[in-house]
Amino acid sequence: MKKNTFLLLSLLSCFGLFGQNANEFNLEQAINYARQNSNSLNIQKLEIRDAKDQILEYKSIGIPKLNASIGYNHFINIPTSILPDFISPAVYNVLFDENVLPRRDINYGSGFPAQFGLKNNLTAGVQLSTLIFDGSFIVGLKAQKLYSDLIQLQVNQTEADLRYRVTKAYMGALSIKENLIILDKNIANLEKVYKEVNEIYKVGFSEKLDVDRIELSLQTLRTEREKLARLDGITQNVLKFQMNFPLDKELVQTESFKQILDKSYLEIMDPSFKLNTQLRPEYPVIAKGLELTEINIKRLKASYLPSLSGFVSHQEVLQRNNLFDNNENSWFPTTIAGLNLNIPIFDGLDRKAKINRAKTQNEKTKMQFAEFERGVDLEFQNAKTQYINALATLESRKKSLDLADRIYQTTKTKFKEGVGSSLEITQAERDLYTAQANVLEAQYNLIQSKVDLDKALGKI
């Protein structure tokens, strides 16, 4: 019973009927969805499988090979050969030597026709061959393994890049949604203020100008919301594209700005923290590429060594006029065993040119490695500075938001008590909205700068 329940829950989970809905994603779920559905990543995974098949294909060069063959020939006309007349000269020479006939020149003719072989010829054979020693093959086998490792490392690099792009897109879409939430709250608050001021105006304790100013602010907020709503659709499509999620389906982000900000990885950056370049996903890819160039040089140098191969061949031949007449000839066997030693002497400088090119490629890769390390160090320093600045900016803007909120609340109170103007409340509300937008922007920049810092550190 327990087993059946477990199977049922597993099936429900697979079909999205249990737990997370198919269109709801927090940040990590969005990244995992992208990893499972990314076409570029799936193509690279196919390349891993292809690399394994390439290794097997290359190994087959050194694996013994066994071949069998059967051949049948039926001679409708048996080939004819002309044999010289060697009997007549022998007879006449004896007669001349014994003085039976006087010696004279005799025309022995052009020979006589003869047919060799039988009408049916059946051949069956088997041959075993193997490579015994080849220096370039041994080194090349190691190179094939390194190539397979390189493809796997490139997949890891692509996954890191995909994680970075999805995170950026997720935060971009989330930023618009957070803005919309704040705008909706501000519109609701301003509509309440508008009703209150309008009621005060109706009883004669306020001017029409006060009502108009608040109405203008309300219209401005509504227009801004319409623009953000359209922009929300664009950022959602960007996120769907990065995830390879269907564009015509709804996607729900279940994680908020605050939840992401509260995560432990947004700790204050220690300025003395050191960069470890080896943690970057690009590092092992370049290192493996450098190793491949070095092994290629060894492989080409090993091609100067002799190569040795061996073979064993066994063949049976049956020749008969009547193929099925067992009274005629039986099978005639032939067995051969041998070795082939190939000694390279001079190849027209072909290997020398290839080795020089391999050395040049090795030097280029080393230079690219050095440039990569310099670039990563610059990226890290910039990302660290941006992150520290973003932290400081967020703290500063939070204080500004608290101050703007206090001013706005005080201004509203003064206006209701009749000691403040609508111009003051309009200006205070604009300052409040600006402060809210600034805090949201600072939060967004903080998360984005942390993402960039994690990328620079190789943590993403």
Side-chain angles (χ1 to χ4, degrees), residues 176 180 183 223-234:
I176 300 298
L180 284 171
L183 269 177
T223 302
E224 186 66 23
R225 195 199 182 285
E226 290 176 0
K227 288 165 56 179
L228 279 178
R230 289 190 292 268
L231 188 58
D232 178 54
I234 295 174

Side-chain angles (χ1 to χ4, degrees), residues 67-71 123-127 314-316:
N67 294 305
S69 62
I70 297 176
T123 303
V126 61
Q127 182 173 9
H314 179 76
Q315 189 177 69
E316 299 270 350

Side-chain angles (χ1 to χ4, degrees), residues 187 190-191 193-195 197-198 201 207-223 422 425-426 429-430:
I187 290 172
L190 196 56
E191 285 176 344
V193 172
Y194 174 75
K195 290 180 181 178
V197 173
N198 197 33
Y201 165 70
E207 298 179 1
K208 183 69 169 65
L209 180 61
D210 296 331
V211 179
D212 291 342
R213 281 174 177 166
I214 296 175
E215 185 177 4
L216 178 61
S217 297
L218 189 58
Q219 290 297 332
T220 302
L221 286 181
R222 287 169 176 167
T223 302
S422 62
I425 195 172
T426 302
E429 77 183 22
R430 287 177 182 172

Side-chain angles (χ1 to χ4, degrees), residues 269-325:
M269 182 65 193
D270 182 2
S272 63
F273 189 83
K274 300 298 181 182
L275 170 68
N276 184 359
T277 311
Q278 296 183 11
L279 295 178
R280 288 288 294 253
E282 301 94 331
Y283 184 92
V285 173
I286 301 175
K288 192 65 67 174
L290 181 60
E291 193 176 354
L292 269 171
T293 61
E294 292 170 350
I295 203 72
N296 190 40
I297 295 173
K298 292 180 181 179
R299 180 184 67 84
L300 292 170
K301 287 181 176 179
S303 64
Y304 281 111
L305 298 174
S307 61
L308 180 65
S309 60
F311 70 92
V312 177
S313 175
H314 179 76
Q315 189 177 69
E316 299 270 350
V317 179
L318 178 66
Q319 295 185 3
R320 292 176 179 176
N321 281 320
N322 185 349
L323 189 61
F324 302 102
D325 187 357

Side-chain angles (χ1 to χ4, degrees), residues 16-34:
L17 300 175
F18 184 81
Q20 177 204 352
N21 291 332
N23 65 332
E24 295 182 354
F25 300 92
N26 61 26
L27 178 56
E28 197 60 36
Q29 289 167 342
I31 292 171
N32 289 334
Y33 182 93

Side-chain angles (χ1 to χ4, degrees), residues 77-96:
N77 294 307
I78 298 175
T80 301
S81 299
I82 303 299
L83 299 179
D85 186 0
F86 54 85
I87 298 176
S88 296
V91 173
Y92 277 100
N93 283 336
V94 172
L95 295 177
F96 292 154

